[in-house]
């Protein structure tokens, strides 16, 4: 049995399929990942751009970086991996997507049950009051100010050292525990606590299917390892599943 057939069988037999995704799933949409030689963290310092300390030091610089990413993400389209997951949900096989991505591409592809562990780049929140808003494009002037109280607005994403949104995390843990098959797609598995999702599922007896061109700390838990880019693999997978 080839690896494509093995994954197709695993999915067909599953009773509660859940997906856990990272930056790699959006790579074929033209959005850079964080780690690796072409990754964002090879060029930029996460401490300066994705931490509360960095934001306090230079909110303009942080916002310029987010504006650049919003432009990039705004132009990007869901690729066959996002679209494949949407199809799997539509036909009732996939129960939830747990993602570390802030790009919103899972929802744009059509998935309804998406648990965004690290927030969403298309939302802003005030650093002082309870103001929150959705945005469709980057702010015209940076850093943007809160219309309610005049303080700074920040992207509603999780920065280094910050806790995950509690409700989303609780739900993600529950979905991971319920899963009997977990598709782990395009994540290095290096950022905690998100990286605990596959470990928890595995400890509960869930079968881990990893889709990632490279080896990761999750690979040793995986029952099936697919060493291909997610987009091209899903194209074939959806054809094979005839859904
Ligand atoms: P990383 O950049 O750490 O890892 C991306 C993974 O995707 C790597 O393991 C690559 O091998 C894999 N990959 C690359 N191209 C791929 C493709 N076409 N198909 C499938 N996989 C591919 O990204 P994450 O694991 O998502 O957090 O990083 C986790 C968190 O670290 C992010 O959410 C972000 C970052 O700092 C915050 O900003 C809080
Ligand atoms: Zn405010």
């Amino acid at each position: 049995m080839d690896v494509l057939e093995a994954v197709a069988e695993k999915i067909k037999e599953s009773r509660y399929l859940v997906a856990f995704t990272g930056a790699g799933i959006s790579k074929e949409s033209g959005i850079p990942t964080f780690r690796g030689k072409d990754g964002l963290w090879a060029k930029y310092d996460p401490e300066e751009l994705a931490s509360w300390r960095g934001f306090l030091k230079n909110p303009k610089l942080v916002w310029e970086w987010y504006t650049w990413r919003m432009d990039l993400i705004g132009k990007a389209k869901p690729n066959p991996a996002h679209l494949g997951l949407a199809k799997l949900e539509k036909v009732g096989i996939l129960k939830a997507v747990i993602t570390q991505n802030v790009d919103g591409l899972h929802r744009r592809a059509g998935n309804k049950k998406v648990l965004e562990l690290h927030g969403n780049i298309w939302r802003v929140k005030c650093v002082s009051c309870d103001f929150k808003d959705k945005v469709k494009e980057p702010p015209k002037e940076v850093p943007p100010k809160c219309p309610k109280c005049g303080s700074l607005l920040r992207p509603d994403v999780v920065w280094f050292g910050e806790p995950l949104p509690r409700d989303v995390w609780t739900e993600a843990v529950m979905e991971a525990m319920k899963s009997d098959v977990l598709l782990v797609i395009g994540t290095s598995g290096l950022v905690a606590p998100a990286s605990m999702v596959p470990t928890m599922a595995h400890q509960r007896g869930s079968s881990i299917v990893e889709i990632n061109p490279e080896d990761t700390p999750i690979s040793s838990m995986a029952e099936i390892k697919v060493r291909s880019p997610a987009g091209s693999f899903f194209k074939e997978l959806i054809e094979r599943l005839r859904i």
Side-chain angles (χ1 to χ4, degrees):
M1 194 163 37
D2 63 355
V3 73
L4 178 64
E5 191 59 30
V7 177
E9 283 306 311
K10 204 79 214 165
I11 288 175
K12 277 193 265 175
E13 285 166 10
S14 70
R15 281 171 296 103
Y16 206 95
L17 181 72
V18 172
F20 175 60
T21 68
I25 197 171
S26 297
K27 177 96 183 275
E28 285 147 281
S29 294
I31 302 171
T33 61
F34 295 96
R35 291 170 189 80
K37 68 171 167 40
D38 304 324
L40 292 170
W41 297 152
K43 268 180 263 162
Y44 305 101
D45 181 358
E47 259 303 301
E48 297 296 321
L49 299 173
S51 78
W52 179 242
R53 208 186 52 83
F55 185 70
L56 287 180
K57 203 170 122 192
N58 197 343
K60 190 162 185 285
L61 178 74
V62 171
W63 263 112
E64 278 164 359
W65 191 64
Y66 277 93
T67 298
W68 172 72
R69 285 180 63 204
M70 284 165 112
D71 278 332
L72 207 66
I73 290 168
K75 287 189 201 114
K77 289 192 187 64
N79 69 53
H82 301 104
L83 297 168
L85 291 179
K87 208 157 208 182
L88 282 168
E89 182 186 73
K90 198 157 174 223
V91 299
I93 298 175
L94 181 70
K95 309 297 191 241
V97 176
I98 304 168
T99 189
Q100 298 163 87
N101 299 346
V102 299
D103 58 29
L105 287 181
H106 286 302
R107 262 183 238 281
R108 270 177 57 198
N111 278 98
K112 300 274 182 287
K113 178 108 173 164
V114 183
L115 300 167
E116 293 173 321
L117 297 180
H118 293 163
N120 189 300
I121 201 166
W122 302 108
R123 283 197 318 250
V124 293
K125 64 181 181 187
C126 177
V127 300
S128 306
C129 75
D130 61 1
F131 180 81
K132 276 191 178 206
D133 203 6
K134 284 188 178 163
V135 294
K136 287 207 170 67
E137 48 191 46
K140 299 267 177 293
E141 263 176 58
V142 292
K145 302 266 168 59
C146 173
K148 211 166 138 186
C149 78
S151 293
L152 290 179
L153 291 178
R154 58 165 280 181
D156 192 1
V157 299
V158 175
W159 283 332
F160 286 100
E162 292 184 322
L164 304 190
R166 197 162 43 160
D167 297 355
V168 182
W169 175 243
T170 307
E171 215 182 333
V173 171
M174 276 169 16
E175 293 298 326
M177 300 284 214
K178 274 198 266 179
S179 72
D180 63 341
V181 178
L182 184 74
L183 303 176
V184 178
I185 311 167
T187 179
S188 62
L190 292 172
V191 177
S195 57
M196 286 157 64
V197 167
T199 315
M200 287 187 289
H202 178 64
Q203 281 170 354
R204 275 285 178 127
S206 184
S207 299
I208 310 293
V209 176
E210 180 177 61
I211 302 159
N212 192 320
E214 283 173 32
D215 221 50
T216 74
I218 299 162
S219 305
S220 61
M221 286 183 254
E223 194 175 305
I224 308 175
K225 298 182 251 292
V226 181
R227 292 285 171 247
S228 326
S232 47
F233 179 74
F234 261 84
K235 224 168 167 175
E236 290 181 31
L237 179 66
I238 297 301
E239 272 168 28
R240 182 69 66 102
L241 287 169
R242 291 180 218 281
I243 55 172

